[in-house]
């Protein structure tokens, strides 16, 4: 007899005893009620339904039912400090939760009797056609999660013809990643406090064949990554073999983007001194298209249009910048309204489901970048894990498009979403 059967028999017995005139004493009915299955009071986090026991974890990518299934496998495989770095938000992680909960504020409003026997998910992003609007977000140091690193991710992105954005902090060169992806990618720039370093990054990315530079503008201060710090304390490995914390130059010397670049005088790999003047300078320096990543307010979206950039990414860096409490899906409407179609708007942070992606596209986003889920896939199974994560997201988006009555991306319109 399994535990569910045992509990059911126990409930039956208690009910029978409670009803029995022979054994009628107060309290039994209450005891029977206490053993009834518990009804969750709050809307559960999706992770509650993922396997919790190590022996129940998926053992192949094909076993995954949703992208969340990969996270506990990655947790098992990846060193605690690296996993903690990936999972961490800031302070109380209010924004981390808000990024997921934000999607509940918007509901789909499907249309019926539209022929969706064929669905075309292809999307044009800055003049290039991709099979899907799902973009691989820039994440530093893929080799921290699996030895296949950025090349494994690029090969997985190739399978579904996804746009990939490569981080400045990549552990693989842009040339090798473009070769693995078999097509041009975008380069994500952390403009440092030293212009010559920034210029060298731009020149390298352009030479390698990157189509656009996504300038990240939301990492200008310190950050309290509590989950990272707590998990780091449980990591017993000797980290000094890979990380030279005492010396920034030595620490980054092994990262391909920093090869041959004079790092003297560099005090930070990011910058607290970025302004619209920096954006103008970048635009005047490179022939790559310029996209600003990290916009959250309509005022900045307007300034981005005025600065003549080619696009923006509405992003809170996956809740890794300030613990603002606001999700990006919440920020999207004011930005779409202000931009008024004058440039493409990408969005990221917290996207885990086809319905999340469909909502953003209906609300005016051109494409959606996904971060942690593909790292879960990478940490769990390497390239096949990333392939399956992207496959699940495409499958869910495809099904959502059919369900709302949208045979193509342009048929995902604002009337298909309403505020809850
Ligand atoms: C990031 N992100 C990021 N962004 C960026 O512009 N350059 C970078 O090097 C990194 N590195 C990075 C590392 C890790 C471990 C994470 C989780 C995130 C942010 C990333 O591009 C994206 O904005 C978020 O990951 C999107 O949120 P989700 O999908 O992870 O919730």
């Amino acid at each position: 007899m399994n535990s569910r059967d045992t509990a059911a028999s126990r409930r039956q017995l208690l009910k029978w005893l409670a009803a029995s005139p022979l054994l009628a004493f107060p309290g039994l009915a209450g005891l029977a009620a206490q053993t009834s299955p518990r009804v969750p009071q709050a809307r559960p986090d999706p992770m509650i339904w993922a396997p919790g026991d190590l022996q129940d974890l998926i053992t192949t990518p094909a076993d995954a039912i949703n992208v969340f299934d990969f996270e506990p496998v990655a947790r098992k495989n990846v060193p605690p400090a690296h996993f903690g770095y990936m999972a961490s938000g800031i302070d109380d992680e209010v924004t981390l939760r808000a990024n997921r909960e934000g999607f509940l504020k918007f509901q789909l409003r499907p249309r019926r009797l539209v022929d969706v026997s064929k669905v075309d998910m292809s999307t044009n992003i800055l003049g290039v056609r991709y099979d899907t609007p799902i973009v691989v977000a820039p994440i530093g140091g893929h080799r921290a999660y699996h030895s296949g690193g950025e090349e494994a991710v690029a090969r997985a992105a190739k399978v579904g013809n996804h746009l990939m954005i490569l981080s400045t902090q990549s552990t693989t060169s842009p040339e090798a990643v473009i070769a693995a992806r078999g097509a041009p990618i975008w380069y994500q720039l952390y403009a440092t406090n030293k212009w010559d370093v920034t210029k060298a990054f731009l020149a390298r990315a352009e030479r390698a064949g990157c189509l656009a530079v996504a300038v990240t503008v939301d990492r200008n201060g310190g950050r309290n990554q509590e989950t990272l710090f707590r998990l780091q304390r449980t990591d017993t490995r000797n980290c000094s073999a890979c990380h030279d914390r005492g010396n920034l130059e030595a620490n980054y010397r092994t990262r391909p983007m920093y090869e041959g670049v004079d790092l003297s005088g560099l005090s930070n790999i990011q910058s607290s001194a970025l302004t619209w003047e920096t954006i103008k300078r970048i635009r005047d320096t490179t022939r790559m298209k310029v996209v600003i990543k990290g916009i959250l307010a309509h005022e900045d979206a307007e300034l981005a249009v005025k600065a003549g950039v080619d696009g923006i990414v509405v992003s809170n860096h996956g809740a890794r910048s300030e613990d603002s409490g606001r999700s990006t899906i919440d920020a999207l409407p004011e930005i779409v309204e202000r931009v008024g179609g004058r440039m493409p708007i990408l969005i990221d942070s917290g996207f885990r489901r086809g319905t999340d992606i469909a909502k953003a596209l209906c609300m005016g986003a051109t494409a959606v970048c996904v971060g942690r889920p593909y790292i879960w896939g990478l940490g769990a199974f390497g390239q096949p894990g990333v392939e399956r994560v992207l496959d699940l997201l495409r499958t869910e988006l495809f099904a959502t498009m059919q369900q709302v009555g949208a045979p193509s991306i342009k048929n995902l319109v604002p009337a298909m979403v309403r505020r809850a």
Side-chain angles (χ1 to χ4, degrees):
M1 193 183 275
N2 63 32
S3 60
R4 211 185 312 155
D5 292 337
T6 314
S9 323
R10 189 169 131 80
R11 272 199 305 278
Q12 285 266 294
L13 175 67
L14 286 167
K15 272 188 191 153
W16 177 81
L17 283 174
S20 163
L22 295 174
L23 265 173
F25 63 87
L28 263 185
L31 198 54
Q34 273 175 29
T35 57
S36 299
R38 272 196 322 124
V39 179
Q41 295 304 303
R43 185 173 243 285
D45 186 276
M47 268 308 288
I48 284 175
W49 307 115
D53 283 346
L54 282 186
Q55 62 267 34
D56 287 342
L57 299 185
I58 56 167
T59 52
T60 71
D63 291 341
I65 293 164
N66 60 37
V67 300
F68 298 104
D69 282 340
F70 290 91
E71 189 178 14
V73 186
R75 170 79 178 93
K76 183 168 65 81
N77 293 355
V78 172
H82 294 180
F83 183 88
Y85 178 70
M86 179 277 302
S88 201
I90 306 295
D91 298 343
D92 295 313
E93 301 191 331
V94 176
T95 316
L96 196 63
R97 286 188 291 279
N99 277 342
R100 292 295 306 131
E101 288 163 6
F103 294 107
L104 301 177
K105 296 185 190 169
F106 299 92
Q107 300 169 336
L108 289 173
R109 191 171 162 273
R111 296 298 307 277
R112 306 301 187 203
L113 296 169
V114 178
D115 181 357
V116 283
S117 53
K118 291 197 181 70
V119 168
D120 177 8
M121 294 195 291
S122 68
T123 307
N124 188 303
I125 312 172
L126 293 185
V128 178
R129 183 196 168 280
Y130 299 90
D131 291 351
T132 159
I134 303 165
V135 176
V136 174
I139 286 193
H142 290 185
R143 280 181 212 274
Y145 309 100
H146 190 275
S147 58
E150 287 80 4
E151 282 168 291
V153 172
R155 280 192 287 269
K158 183 181 181 178
V159 174
N161 188 21
H162 294 261
L163 168 62
M164 175 170 175
I165 311 178
L166 184 71
S167 165
T168 290
Q169 309 297 43
S170 172
T171 37
T172 311
S173 73
E175 296 81 9
V177 175
I178 290 173
R181 173 59 187 81
I185 57 172
W186 290 11
Y187 170 68
Q188 175 272 326
L189 174 76
Y190 278 130
T192 65
N193 62 344
K194 191 176 167 190
W195 175 248
D196 283 346
V197 174
T198 307
K199 219 164 66 179
F201 288 165
L202 289 169
R204 169 94 181 259
E206 190 173 319
R207 249 194 339 269
C210 296
L211 296 175
V213 54
V215 187
T216 300
V217 297
D218 59 7
R219 285 295 318 118
N220 31 347
R223 54 181 177 177
N224 178 25
Q225 297 180 286
E226 294 189 14
T227 296
L228 162 64
F229 303 143
R230 288 186 202 291
L231 282 178
Q232 208 166 26
R233 286 181 189 164
T234 70
D235 202 324
T236 51
R237 296 163 314 134
N238 174 13
C239 301
S240 61
C242 299
H243 303 277
D244 186 344
R245 303 269 182 230
N247 180 343
L248 187 124
E249 204 173 328
N251 202 18
Y252 287 98
R253 183 54 66 205
T254 53
R255 303 272 170 140
M257 280 309 296
Y258 296 79
E259 268 164 23
V261 179
D262 176 12
L263 300 180
S264 57
L266 194 65
S267 57
N268 195 335
I269 52 159
Q270 291 149 3
S271 173
S272 308
L274 296 186
T275 63
W276 290 100
E277 193 48 44
T278 322
I279 298 296
K280 182 176 180 313
R281 216 169 169 189
I282 290 169
R283 221 194 48 205
D284 293 344
T285 302
T286 181
R287 284 195 301 273
M288 293 184 286
K289 300 236 163 113
V290 177
V291 173
I292 301 182
K293 176 173 182 279
I295 297 292
L296 290 170
H298 68 76
E299 295 91 334
D300 285 338
E302 178 67 37
L303 290 171
V305 172
K306 291 212 170 101
V309 301
D310 299 284
I312 54 172
V313 186
V314 175
S315 170
N316 58 31
H317 214 107
R320 298 165 70 80
S321 290
E322 61 281 322
D323 200 19
S324 69
R326 193 181 189 207
S327 68
T328 54
I329 197 74
D330 248 332
L332 184 62
E334 67 173 72
I335 291 171
V336 168
E337 191 187 335
R338 178 59 74 94
V339 168
R342 288 176 287 170
M343 65 182 172
I345 299 170
L346 285 73
I347 184 168
D348 73 23
S349 300
F351 287 78
R352 308 287 182 261
R353 291 285 188 184
T355 47
D356 305 337
I357 297 166
K359 285 175 189 175
L361 297 175
C362 287
M363 289 160 69
T366 303
V368 171
C369 313
V370 175
R372 291 183 187 83
Y374 81 82
I375 294 293
W376 301 338
L378 181 69
F381 300 106
Q383 181 186 335
V386 185
E387 275 183 37
R388 179 74 178 133
V389 164
L390 295 174
D391 173 42
L392 281 163
L393 293 172
R394 288 196 305 272
T395 305
E396 288 186 15
L397 177 61
F398 189 98
T400 307
M401 288 174 69
Q402 286 188 309
Q403 279 306 124
V404 297
S408 75
I409 297 291
K410 74 171 184 324
N411 298 115
L412 289 169
V413 291
M416 285 173 175
V417 169
R418 68 181 288 278
R419 218 174 227 283

